[in-house]
Amino acid sequence: MTTFIWIAAAIVLIGLYLSWTAGRLDRLHARIDAARAALDAQLLRRASVAQEVGTAGVLDPAASIVLYQAAHDARQATEEQREVAESELSQALRAVFEDEAQLAAVRAAPGGERTVVELTAAVRRVPMARRFHNDAVRAARAVRRHRVVRYLRLAGHAPFPMAFEMDDEPPAVLDDRSVRN
């Protein structure tokens, strides 16, 4: 009888562990989904502000075209091309705003100071949102690599989480840490 109790206790403990692990994995996948939604929102915000700056007519024509086209491509990119398009937008922002005269031109326009604050906030939030997403992906991958999770298929049919890799380095003139929102 004592052996039966020990076996039952072991089965209950194993069941609790498996249930806890499956719940943890589910919470990590939910966290990835939330972080991805936040990242998508920040990328969309950055592209929208960049597109607005590109069409405002305050930059020189070549810079306006480069910035507008990169922002448009980032907004219209398919999921497979999204990382490349967002990286190209980062590169376009750096290319356009490496000349501080461009930033001065945006500031001088009506409502320009607010636009610069919005653009600065947008380019600063993208790396943070990407880092949160990639941290959640890293945590879920670590749990999914355990043998028990793989053998018992505790992840169910959830796709293997993928990190979002892109060039998110902001332009030096827009990486002003003193701007607060």
Side-chain angles (χ1 to χ4, degrees):
M1 187 67 173
T2 306
T3 306
F4 177 74
I5 292 173
W6 283 110
I7 291 173
I11 290 173
V12 167
L13 288 176
I14 290 170
L16 287 173
Y17 171 74
L18 293 176
S19 174
W20 176 81
T21 302
R24 178 174 179 225
L25 197 52
D26 185 53
R27 288 188 301 277
L28 285 171
H29 282 186
R31 188 172 128 201
I32 289 170
D33 291 343
R36 182 58 189 243
L39 175 61
D40 287 343
Q42 293 306 322
L43 291 171
L44 181 63
R45 180 174 184 226
R46 180 181 76 153
S48 297
V49 175
Q51 204 168 16
E52 180 183 322
V53 170
T55 59
V58 296
L59 301 175
D60 67 68
S64 291
I65 291 171
V66 166
L67 191 58
Y68 173 80
Q69 189 62 47
H72 177 74
D73 291 347
R75 290 182 68 170
Q76 299 298 319
T78 62
E79 194 60 36
E80 296 80 30
Q81 296 298 317
R82 185 94 186 265
E83 293 173 354
V84 173
E86 294 295 346
S87 293
E88 289 173 354
L89 177 55
S90 295
Q91 293 165 2
L93 284 164
R94 283 195 306 271
V96 167
F97 289 109
E98 74 181 348
D99 179 15
E100 290 194 32
Q102 300 284 18
L103 188 64
V106 173
R107 277 198 168 108
E113 193 62 44
R114 193 182 111 257
T115 302
V116 169
V117 169
E118 284 181 30
L119 186 59
T120 301
V123 300
R124 284 182 51 214
R125 288 181 178 149
V126 166
M128 288 186 292
R130 189 175 76 85
R131 193 170 341 151
F132 289 139
H133 175 267
N134 288 349
D135 286 346
V137 166
R138 199 172 2 266
R141 282 180 170 182
V143 173
R144 287 184 71 154
R145 282 192 189 106
H146 292 129
R147 283 189 197 125
V148 171
V149 173
R150 285 193 325 254
Y151 294 157
L152 298 178
R153 300 177 191 248
L154 296 180
H157 296 288
F160 195 75
M162 300 301 291
F164 194 86
E165 297 300 332
M166 64 172 271
D167 174 7
D168 59 5
E169 184 68 29
V173 296
L174 294 178
D175 195 24
D176 181 12
R177 302 294 178 186
S178 64
V179 176
R180 298 286 177 220
N181 288 324

